[in-house]
Amino acid sequence: MALVGLTCAAFIFNTSEFIPIGLLTDIANDFLTTEAQAGMIISIYAFVVMLLSLPLMIVVSRFEMKKLLSSVILNDAIPVAF
């Protein structure tokens, strides 16, 4: 069962990371930029994610997982509620 959960999480993570590439033209149109500029924005985002992933993982690994998950859910749910 854990393998199924890990597989689903990996699928969702990878899908969310690759969606902007498929929507590059739409993103460029929405921001009134060229596709090259929109691609650069996405590349900068990817670079920041690459740089911050390991340090954030190290910091977050020191927290109790139940409290961490609860705080992440609340952090995402409160803005949606209002």
Side-chain angles (χ1 to χ4, degrees):
M1 197 59 165
L3 183 59
V4 172
L6 184 60
T7 303
C8 290
F11 174 77
I12 291 169
F13 175 78
N14 285 321
T15 302
S16 68
E17 290 295 320
F18 291 119
I19 284 175
I21 296 167
L23 299 173
L24 188 58
T25 305
D26 295 329
I27 292 170
N29 291 336
D30 286 346
F31 285 106
L32 302 174
T33 63
T34 65
E35 289 181 20
Q37 289 171 326
M40 185 59 71
I41 293 169
I42 292 170
S43 296
I44 291 169
Y45 163 76
F47 186 72
V48 170
V49 168
M50 179 192 71
L51 288 177
L52 294 179
S53 293
L54 184 60
L56 285 175
M57 183 182 68
I58 291 169
V59 169
V60 168
S61 69
R62 296 184 178 128
F63 298 147
E64 182 184 340
M65 289 300 132
K66 188 174 182 179
K67 289 182 181 178
L68 177 64
L69 184 60
S70 298
S71 64
V72 168
I73 291 171
L74 282 174
N75 188 39
D76 290 344
I78 290 174
V80 173
F82 297 102

